[in-house]
Amino acid sequence: MEQATQQTKNIMDVWQKRPLIISGPCSAETEQQVLETATRLAATGKVDMLRAGIWKPRTRPGQFEGIGVKGLPWLFQAKKITGLLTTVEVATAKQVEDALNFDVDVLWIGARTTVNPFSVQEVADALRGVDIPVLIKNPINPDLELWTGAVERIAKAGIKNIGLIHRGFSSYGNTEYRNAPMWHLAIEMKRRNPGMLMINDPSHISGRRDILQDVAQTAIDLDYDGLIIESHIDPDNAWSDAKQQITPEHLGEMISSINWRKEDVPSEEYHAALEKLRQQINHLDDELMQILGQRMKAAEKIGLYKKENNITILQTSRWNAILERAYAKGEKLGLSKEFITRYFDAVHMESIQHQNKIMNS
């Protein structure tokens, strides 16, 4: 009993560490691969927890779907050798049972499971009465309610220590990333769950090694609590996700080169200057809201003229002209085309709603 209590204490010590660094292979492939990866990761002195995929949900049948239960003793042995805590992904009640039987310290729910409330509930039911931390990845599709629902289901099962993993979202037309980060959604999830552990998965966001560090640095700049990064002793020959994995030594170098910023500093001068600028932003935001209100009133008047003349709300040529004009002005003001598009799309949809009320009143 005393030994179990001490192990729980060690888990909580790591869970509360900042930054929390989790690393290991996308998939456990062989005992030698798992043990060597763990040993080399521990040697960097940068890693707190060993991850390895035991069961791998794949898009198409015939792909490598994980080594299965036979890989769990490898993780158990790796923990004994290195002292690193272990974490694996679970998607079914049987996988939860198997992981717990081999003293896995932390479980995580993957993106393909988070998207399915039935699967999350099955995992939650299997966790009732168990004291173990659980990490929950965002769902594949950009739906915060699914992510929130998964958190609520696991919490209702009695799990007290829940963390979030931001691994990016599938999106149409996305080319730069494997999974578009959509930082604003992760930030909103963090706002909804203040104090809850939030770590970033740059491996699955980037999908390739060359932008891995840039994604990780962005996450740290946004005050994430840690990182989960895939590492393999021979990345190019990994059985899954070869392009996004790095060697343990490369991981150590990357972690060392990240600029770990502080959330605050005890400086009166800094706080005074910051407060002054924040008040300026508040004033500008107030003015912006007033202008947007006036814009909607103008849109309503246009809607009235369209109604009187039986004209459609949407006129593509006019919308294209608005965007081109905005792009030109935005470029001069240092605003990105991506931001201008998102902003004007939101303004346009609000204008359409105002005009629609006029047209159908």
Side-chain angles (χ1 to χ4, degrees), residues 90-278:
V90 292
T92 68
K94 181 63 166 60
Q95 290 174 4
V96 171
E97 179 185 352
D98 289 337
L100 295 177
N101 284 340
F102 284 93
D103 291 331
V104 172
D105 299 293
V106 175
L107 303 179
W108 90 75
I109 297 176
R112 296 170 189 263
T113 304
T114 306
V115 80
N116 187 337
F118 291 112
S119 297
V120 175
Q121 190 60 55
E122 180 181 341
V123 171
D125 292 341
L127 288 170
R128 291 189 186 279
V130 178
D131 182 17
I132 189 170
V134 176
L135 295 162
I136 303 175
K137 285 195 173 187
N138 64 256
I140 293 175
N141 52 312
D143 186 339
L144 287 189
E145 297 312 310
L146 279 173
W147 204 359
T148 298
V151 170
E152 291 173 348
R153 289 176 189 276
I154 298 301
K156 285 183 178 180
I159 299 299
K160 299 180 180 63
N161 296 292
I162 299 174
L164 303 169
I165 301 177
H166 171 216
R167 50 81 77 190
F169 303 86
S170 295
S171 64
Y172 176 74
N174 172 51
T175 56
E176 183 180 2
Y177 303 99
R178 178 180 178 184
N179 294 289
M182 298 188 188
W183 298 103
H184 63 289
L185 294 180
I187 290 169
E188 172 59 18
M189 192 65 180
K190 187 175 182 179
R191 187 193 67 80
R192 293 184 184 186
N193 299 277
M196 185 175 288
L197 174 71
M198 169 74 91
I199 62 178
N200 182 258
D201 180 351
S203 299
H204 282 89
I205 288 176
S206 64
R208 60 184 210 261
R209 289 186 277 272
D210 62 311
I211 60 172
L212 196 62
Q213 182 157 348
D214 289 342
V215 173
Q217 184 64 65
T218 298
I220 298 308
D221 290 347
L222 291 172
D223 197 31
Y224 280 62
D225 298 308
L227 302 167
I228 178 169
I229 302 174
E230 292 184 347
S231 178
H232 192 288
I233 55 174
D234 185 10
D236 290 335
N237 292 302
W239 295 3
S240 58
D241 289 350
K243 293 181 180 179
Q244 67 192 40
Q245 299 192 68
I246 56 177
T247 65
E249 292 73 26
H250 186 175
L251 175 88
E253 293 169 2
M254 192 181 92
I255 297 300
S256 295
S257 63
I258 289 175
N259 187 354
W260 298 96
R261 305 185 193 280
K262 297 170 286 189
E263 186 176 359
D264 199 4
V265 292
S267 166
E268 291 185 9
E269 182 180 355
Y270 161 78
H271 284 284
L274 201 63
E275 182 60 26
K276 183 177 180 180
L277 290 170
R278 285 173 172 169

